[in-house]
Amino acid sequence: MDRSPILDEARLPVDSGRRAVLRTGLGAAVAAVLGVPFGGCAVAQVRGGPMLGFRSVPPSRADRVIVPDGYAARVLCRWGEPVGVPGSMPPLTDDASSSAADQAVQSGMHHDGMHYFAIPGADPNQRGVLAINHEYTDEGLLHRDGHAELTAEKVRKSQHAVGVSIVEVERSGDAWRVVRPSRYARRIHAATPMRIAGPCAGNPIMRTPADPTGRASLGTLNNCAHGVTPWGTYLTCEENFQNYFGNGDEKNADHRRAGIGKRSRYGWERFDDRFDLAKHPNEANRFGWVVEIDPLDPTSTPVKRTALGRWSHEVALTHVAKDGRVVVYMGDDRRNEHIYKFVSRYRYTGGAPHPATLDEGTLYVGRFDAGGRGVWLPLVHGQGPLTAANGFADQAEVQVKARLAGAAVGATPMDRPEWLSLHAATGDVYVTLTNNSDRGKPGMPGAGGANPRADNVFGHILRWREDGGDHTSLSFAWEVFLLGGDPALADANKRGNVNGDAFGSPDGLWFDPRGVLWIQTDISTNLVGEATGDYANLGNNVMLACDPSTREVRRFLTGPRKCEITGVIMTPDLRAMFVNIQHPGETSSEFSDPKAVDRLSTWPDGPGRRPRSATIVITRDDGGVIGG
Ligand code: FEO
Ligand code: CA
Ligand code: CA
């Protein structure tokens, strides 16, 4: 079977054998056009006809989801609903009075990355399993009386509201519903037992009093975006882990780089010692990883894959290279951090992978040079500056301190890498660089090359092509694909080069199997929907569709007030699209005021109700293909 980079395997559901990846005839048709510089008209040659078949929706400040005429968007799974664990389905409570135990079997908060998996023996267009990330919590919404008067029970509830929900969903007439109870239903959260694998497993820097082996840990948190392996497992990415630890050591270079301070954002360390770094200094080393989950086995133990490095992981785009080695592209969503790729030692030939496929290999970091060329620099202990004398005692320390290692070898500081997606027709890898208002400021990296704008408040989308079309290559060509912006602004630096609807702060990014590039925005809470400022014309956060051959961008969906749009996947027939609406009603203060939870949004349940992150499902009234 041809494994050339012609199909976005990582984003497709798997078949009923579930370890073999669905493939389409499209691959063979487009293989002939590989080598066309940056796509050109490659996609147009194989699809015939216009790619975007809907009328753009205007910017909105309404407190609802708006989709084009002829489409419907329905709520599928809210924070606080039971996920469907048999025998344990406490219902949603309007007043946030659910207990910590309830929350452990209810949908988490702040839905983010997501994938749809086929179920063996079931029609995947009618029934499947959604794995949904929950990024963080709004403690003012989560608890009836907010974050003040923190208790051990509140900390446990908060710990249970992050992580991942596994829910079975099925089509029901024109709509979809969560199947309750379901044998697949599961919550994975900050207290779920995990296994630690890869070069850090067992290393002294991973050991704690509760885990003297350094091979077992509790929990995953701040689960932002995701990835999918060719063998049908889910990868959840731990992003801003620094917000959960107290008593960081300002002399510790890794703590400083991570932004771990004295006081955590959530206060867990006050009731759970393991988040107090004065007592358990190694616990922070056990977060900031990519975690592999079997979405169809609720008894399976999630695995932290330390070969994939530690930082604020956003996404893990997985692809099988020509020679069968597995490549994982990853970004670090923090201002002036890096883009990475892992290349496995073992080849994937279908079926079950070698057990160490994501544990043995080489981690590289990207250097994007001026002039449109770039190289992947290995992060290998003993090579170049990655020595004990420079603070890297062994390979495990290189993995844990990957940011410092990347900087040491000369990686390019980027404008906050968010999602990555692979264009099946060309093999090009696209990345959203959401924004970076620090660029060009004194003491900060200057503008130029792959990060061309100082004070980059609108962000951009970059793409690269590996030399020879080989994803294991150590060199590549890059170009800026789109500069976000608003053409109506007086400042030429902020107008962008968008052909079609203006947008900024791109975050979620996904090529559907037709080759449409879906772009989701995360304009920051203090700017989004406001009547003044750089984003005054753009309204609430949105999802757009882009034809990569013409670069035309069209607004497909506008979200409710003060939300972010993130997470997108479709059924294989492309007739149902799942999208996440995260943090409607978010305030610019640390947490919502528990006495005024409905101040900025009451989506999705309406007046008087607290806002809730939720998965929605979008269908066409005529049953047609979404976006076509
Ligand atoms: Fe969680 Fe970088 O978005
Ligand atoms: Ca994101
Ligand atoms: Ca974001």
Side-chain angles (χ1 to χ4, degrees):
M1 194 173 283
D2 178 17
R3 294 208 172 277
S4 56
I6 50 176
L7 182 67
D8 187 357
E9 299 175 336
R11 302 291 180 165
L12 287 174
V14 293
D15 68 12
S16 58
R18 76 183 272 262
R19 301 307 185 206
V21 175
L22 286 182
R23 292 169 184 276
T24 75
L26 180 67
V30 299
V33 301
L34 284 173
V36 177
F38 288 111
C41 56
V43 175
Q45 287 174 0
V46 295
R47 74 170 188 269
M51 185 162 251
L52 308 179
F54 63 91
R55 290 180 64 126
S56 172
V57 297
S60 165
R61 290 197 178 88
D63 193 28
R64 63 193 181 96
V65 172
I66 298 172
V67 287
D69 288 345
Y71 284 82
R74 298 176 174 89
V75 175
L76 179 64
C77 183
R78 295 163 176 77
W79 156 56
E81 293 181 0
V83 293
V85 175
S88 190
M89 291 192 283
L92 180 149
T93 56
D94 274 344
D95 61 356
S97 59
S98 292
S99 67
D102 293 343
Q103 181 62 74
V105 287
Q106 294 169 325
S107 169
M109 262 192 159
H110 287 37
H111 301 38
D112 206 303
M114 167 173 60
H115 192 73
Y116 178 84
F117 294 89
I119 293 174
D123 177 352
N125 297 315
Q126 301 290 326
R127 180 183 283 257
V129 162
L130 281 175
I132 305 166
N133 282 351
H134 301 291
E135 187 180 11
Y136 60 101
T137 56
D138 180 335
E139 302 280 299
L141 283 179
L142 181 68
H143 311 298
R144 197 157 37 169
D145 59 350
H147 190 65
E149 311 294 332
L150 197 60
T151 64
E153 164 75 6
K154 285 186 184 178
V155 168
R156 278 195 296 273
K157 186 175 181 184
S158 182
Q159 292 178 343
H160 294 167
V162 294
V164 178
S165 289
I166 309 287
V167 293
E168 183 179 353
V169 295
E170 70 171 2
R171 192 189 291 267
S172 174
D174 288 339
W176 284 70
R177 68 179 192 97
V178 174
V179 177
R180 302 184 180 97
S182 165
R183 59 179 285 206
Y184 302 107
R186 183 181 190 187
R187 278 303 318 285
I188 292 161
H189 50 64
T192 302
M194 310 258 148
R195 185 164 70 82
I196 298 170
C200 301
N203 190 278
I205 60 172
M206 302 295 278
R207 296 178 194 163
T208 66
D211 171 28
T213 70
R215 296 177 182 277
S217 73
L218 277 186
T220 184
L221 48 75
N222 215 268
N223 305 79
C224 192
H226 70 291
V228 185
T229 63
W231 46 93
T233 56
Y234 186 67
L235 301 173
T236 187
C237 299
E238 298 179 338
E239 194 186 17
N240 292 305
F241 62 93
Q242 75 278 3
N243 293 334
Y244 298 82
F245 293 92
N247 289 318
D249 177 2
E250 59 194 20
K251 297 192 193 70
N252 181 316
D254 176 61
H255 288 191
R256 285 201 307 276
R257 185 97 181 191
I260 299 173
K262 284 294 172 200
R263 175 187 168 276
S264 77
R265 181 170 179 175
Y266 300 98
W268 291 1
E269 74 277 13
R270 292 165 52 197
F271 293 90
D272 187 344
D273 273 359
R274 74 188 170 106
F275 293 94
D276 182 342
L277 295 178
K279 294 174 180 164
H280 302 290
N282 284 349
E283 189 66 27
N285 297 339
R286 294 145 65 89
F287 290 89
W289 302 105
V290 173
V291 183
E292 184 177 14
I293 295 168
D294 185 336
L296 299 186
D297 180 1
T299 68
S300 59
T301 301
V303 183
K304 297 206 168 188
R305 297 293 181 189
T306 65
L308 303 183
R310 172 177 168 270
W311 53 79
S312 285
H313 272 283
E314 177 75 22
V315 73
L317 170 67
T318 303
H319 186 74
V320 180
K322 283 177 178 174
D323 68 359
R325 284 183 286 169
V326 176
V327 176
V328 187
Y329 292 104
M330 299 168 284
D332 183 350
D333 179 11
R334 197 171 173 88
R335 288 173 188 162
N336 306 315
E337 290 295 351
H338 313 132
I339 292 174
Y340 300 80
K341 89 169 170 184
F342 167 83
V343 180
S344 71
R345 170 183 169 190
Y346 297 103
R347 296 168 205 273
Y348 181 65
T349 56
H354 185 288
T357 301
L358 295 181
D359 296 335
E360 294 183 33
T362 304
L363 184 65
Y364 299 89
V365 67
R367 196 185 75 205
F368 292 75
D369 295 330
R373 296 287 304 163
V375 292
W376 295 108
L377 304 164
L379 299 180
V380 174
H381 181 256
Q383 290 188 13
L386 304 182
T387 60
N390 289 327
F392 304 98
D394 53 22
Q395 188 63 43
E397 282 209 40
V398 172
Q399 302 299 126
V400 166
K401 303 177 190 172
R403 280 176 167 167
L404 295 167
V409 300
T412 301
M414 307 297 289
D415 286 349
R416 295 187 52 202
E418 294 258 17
W419 287 45
L420 293 139
S421 192
L422 192 146
H423 189 201
T426 62
D428 295 343
V429 181
Y430 288 59
V431 62
T432 47
L433 296 158
T434 194
N435 56 56
N436 184 356
S437 53
D438 279 355
R439 186 167 294 278
K441 286 183 178 170
M444 296 290 169
N451 300 278
R453 288 188 293 189
D455 190 22
N456 182 15
V457 294
F458 283 94
H460 57 292
I461 300 175
L462 191 75
R463 64 181 177 184
W464 70 84
R465 175 169 295 185
E466 302 282 4
D467 286 351
D470 177 359
H471 286 268
T472 68
S473 173
L474 298 186
S475 56
F476 57 90
W478 62 262
E479 72 166 14
V480 174
F481 176 64
L482 286 175
L483 289 172
D486 178 357
L489 293 178
D491 183 347
N493 188 50
K494 295 177 178 172
R495 288 185 205 143
N497 66 356
V498 177
N499 168 22
D501 291 329
F503 72 91
S505 297
D507 186 340
L509 191 74
W510 179 61
F511 275 107
D512 74 19
R514 287 200 307 133
V516 175
L517 181 62
W518 297 91
I519 303 166
Q520 301 174 310
T521 69
D522 180 15
I523 305 164
S524 68
T525 294
N526 61 327
L527 293 172
V528 68
E530 296 294 324
T532 58
D534 289 333
Y535 279 92
N537 298 325
L538 298 191
N540 297 345
N541 273 308
V542 302
M543 181 165 71
L544 312 105
C546 173
D547 179 335
S549 58
T550 64
R551 308 194 196 203
E552 184 197 351
V553 174
R554 263 186 227 180
R555 198 179 295 104
F556 178 80
L557 175 154
T558 59
R561 290 185 195 133
K562 296 292 182 185
C563 81
E564 154 186 1
I565 310 295
T566 183
V568 52
I569 191 68
M570 294 187 197
T571 49
D573 64 3
L574 313 185
R575 292 166 200 275
M577 170 187 266
F578 304 98
V579 172
N580 284 326
I581 307 295
Q582 191 193 102
H583 66 65
E586 185 166 78
T587 68
S588 295
S589 48
E590 194 162 51
F591 302 123
S592 291
D593 176 354
K595 296 190 178 68
V597 290
D598 58 353
R599 186 167 68 87
L600 296 176
S601 171
T602 60
W603 189 88
D605 296 320
R609 308 282 292 275
R610 67 187 57 219
R612 291 178 187 274
S613 297
T615 303
I616 62 172
V617 58
I618 298 168
T619 53
R620 251 170 76 168
D621 298 343
D622 65 1
V625 167
I626 306 297

